[in-house]
Amino acid sequence: MQPFTWLARTHLLSAAGDALIAIALAGSLFFNLDPAAARPRVALYLLVTMAPFAVVGPLIGPLVDRSRGGRRGMIIGAGIARAVLALLMVRHLDSLLLFPEAFGALVAGKTYHVAKSAVVPGLVREERDLVEANSKLMLLSGLGGALAAGPGVLLSLASSRWVLVLAAVVFVLMTFPARRLPRFAVRPRTLDDAPPASPAPEPPSPPPQRWRRPSDNYTGPWVDPPHDMRPTPAAATRRRGGMLLAGSAMGVVRAMTGFTLFLIAFWLRTDDAAPWWFGFMFTASAVGQLIGAVGAPWLRRRVREEVLLASTLLLAAAVSFYVVTAPDRFSVLVLAMVIGLMSALGKLCFDAIVQRDEVPADRGRTFARFETRFQLMWVIGGLVPVAAPSGILPLRAGVMLLGIAGLVAVVLYAGGLWALARGRRPPSEIIATRVRTRIRRPRDS
């Protein structure tokens, strides 16, 4: 059986376990309280979700990258840790101890996602297959959540504690296919630091003009690409700048996602919407993510990842401005679906860009660093409608902010790519430099 199949099974079970934990926590944090009482608890939970990345970024990323078998070991360890923490949350579901335990579960979950993203390039044949591989994993994530939703909701009618017990069982099952993953050998940081090739045998000759770097689980001798195919310093700089620009655009995507989720949720609560409207909104978002995951490989065969990322932001901005003109529940359903589509396509494109352009030995820490920023942006976006008192941020004003954010992000991202292609500084970098200069100037005076 192919190694990617074992990763797919692992990811399916991981997504199912995460969905069960979300179902168990949803009742105690949101639906069992009135909107005024729910806001402080939701705000606290948002802050707790941001904290794990302070651990994942500086500690987990380097550990995943530098230890032999570290990525496989982290995937297995994350499953075991979440199983233990789910059982602990069974005892503390109604106490403040729930929050540090949720913190630990989030750390373990994000550790899994960092390791998973880092191993994908070693399980595909070519760089152009990255979007398709990421798309399959995203589809399996949605399938796992859907499969877990039925049993989770039924068990929650009896008690959320039974949902957490089921989650623990699923996380334990997740470790079995994870054990079948290969031990990935992390390669040297640069070609110059690579070990000598002799006396190992030479690899088979590749087709002309189609040299491809060895995969991440390659354990034979290091082979340099032909001299004329090595990236020049200028090309390396463009790749690094392209990753930073894509990370900034994806950060806006995450902020828009968090903002939309809580804006719609509290709007429905204050509007005394029937419970099934929440189900409709989450279903619309899930349908958008499904469309994005299914359509991503087809779109990638026609345009590059950067174009897809910019296009999703532009589409979300256009739909947001449309909803401003007709802010009813059906138009909000369309907005939720488009935001789900944007989130799915954006994540697939960003992962493929990093997997394509980043040095393999640094992929783990790069994903950890960017995921820290993305979660911070998601929390900031979610805190705006959560912290705003009822009536201060009506739906129309919130959706208008959403459209403006998407439009500005498109302009800065497209302008940045245009500037990098011509060896110039991106507009976002120029703006950031000027802002930092103005902030420091009063201090110096």
Side-chain angles (χ1 to χ4, degrees):
M1 190 176 293
Q2 294 295 324
F4 185 82
T5 303
W6 294 115
L7 178 63
R9 294 181 177 182
T10 301
H11 192 63
L12 177 71
L13 292 169
S14 175
D18 286 338
L20 289 170
I21 288 184
I23 291 170
L25 296 180
S28 61
L29 288 174
F30 188 74
F31 289 106
N32 290 342
L33 301 172
D34 61 83
R39 289 181 186 273
R41 298 196 71 175
V42 173
L44 178 59
Y45 181 76
L46 284 173
L47 295 175
V48 169
T49 62
M50 184 173 59
F53 293 88
V55 177
V56 172
L59 298 180
I60 302 302
L63 183 60
V64 167
D65 281 335
R66 293 296 170 224
S67 59
R68 178 175 176 82
R71 295 168 181 174
R72 172 179 172 269
M74 285 296 171
I75 290 174
I76 296 172
I80 296 174
R82 282 182 285 178
V84 173
L85 288 164
L87 292 176
L88 290 175
M89 284 190 281
V90 170
R91 299 184 60 184
H92 305 130
L93 192 60
D94 298 323
S95 72
L96 290 178
L97 289 176
L98 174 68
F99 289 96
E101 290 163 358
F103 167 86
L106 287 166
V107 170
K110 295 306 176 181
T111 300
Y112 163 77
H113 284 288
V114 168
K116 180 265 298 179
S117 297
V119 304
V120 169
L123 304 179
V124 299
R125 294 182 178 275
E126 298 182 7
E127 290 178 349
R128 63 184 179 184
D129 296 329
L130 288 171
V131 169
E132 183 175 357
N134 292 327
S135 174
K136 290 178 180 178
L137 292 176
M138 181 170 287
L139 284 172
L140 288 172
S141 179
L143 177 61
L147 292 175
V153 171
L154 289 176
L155 287 174
S156 67
L157 297 177
S159 173
S160 295
R161 289 176 171 81
W162 288 110
V163 183
L164 291 170
V165 171
L166 179 59
V169 173
V170 171
F171 285 130
V172 171
L173 293 176
M174 162 195 160
T175 63
F176 290 99
R179 294 176 187 274
R180 306 297 298 271
L181 293 172
R183 291 180 177 271
F184 294 90
V186 180
R187 293 180 286 176
R189 184 181 297 272
T190 63
L191 291 172
D192 296 334
D193 298 333
S198 60
E202 295 183 358
S205 301
Q209 301 298 325
R210 288 186 61 82
W211 175 87
R212 189 177 70 83
R213 61 192 180 195
S215 62
D216 283 0
N217 55 345
Y218 177 72
T219 57
W222 185 266
V223 181
D224 285 358
H227 181 74
D228 58 350
M229 295 183 67
R230 298 182 186 180
T232 62
T237 300
R238 285 196 298 271
R239 287 190 171 191
R240 176 68 60 178
M243 281 191 294
L244 292 175
L245 285 174
S248 299
M250 188 59 204
V252 176
V253 169
R254 291 300 301 273
M256 293 172 68
T257 304
F259 181 87
T260 305
L261 171 65
F262 291 99
L263 177 71
I264 294 176
F266 279 102
W267 173 65
L268 289 175
R269 288 298 305 272
T270 55
D271 202 38
D272 295 326
W276 57 76
W277 275 103
F278 293 92
F280 289 161
M281 293 299 171
F282 284 112
T283 301
S285 177
V287 169
Q289 293 181 14
L290 179 63
I291 294 173
V294 172
W298 182 84
L299 292 170
R300 174 59 188 88
R301 288 192 290 268
R302 287 156 179 79
V303 295
R304 288 178 59 84
E305 291 90 348
E306 291 82 357
V307 177
L308 279 177
L309 182 55
S311 300
T312 57
L313 280 165
L314 185 60
L315 176 63
V319 174
S320 298
F321 288 127
Y322 165 74
V323 174
V324 170
T325 64
D328 54 40
R329 292 180 183 177
F330 291 101
S331 63
V332 172
L333 276 176
V334 176
L335 177 63
M337 184 176 66
V338 171
I339 294 297
L341 171 68
M342 176 189 67
S343 176
L345 274 178
K347 186 66 168 65
L348 291 172
C349 293
F350 173 78
D351 285 354
I353 289 171
V354 174
Q355 291 163 350
R356 179 194 69 197
D357 293 342
E358 181 57 283
V359 176
D362 286 339
R363 283 193 190 123
R365 68 181 66 197
T366 299
F367 274 114
R369 183 173 67 250
F370 277 115
E371 285 295 336
T372 302
R373 299 176 185 177
F374 296 161
Q375 188 66 16
L376 175 62
M377 295 299 293
W378 187 84
V379 170
I380 291 174
L383 279 175
V384 173
V386 170
S390 300
I392 297 298
L393 186 64
L395 179 68
R396 191 189 297 268
V399 176
M400 175 66 77
L401 290 176
L402 199 67
I404 293 173
L407 190 59
V408 171
V410 170
V411 172
L412 291 177
Y413 185 49
L417 293 175
W418 182 87
L420 283 177
R422 289 156 180 77
R424 302 177 184 177
R425 295 176 64 195
S428 56
E429 182 181 341
I430 296 174
I431 295 172
T433 301
R434 291 181 178 177
V435 170
R436 285 194 297 266
T437 302
R438 295 200 173 195
I439 293 175
R440 292 172 182 171
R441 189 174 298 167
R443 295 180 181 176
D444 296 337
S445 59

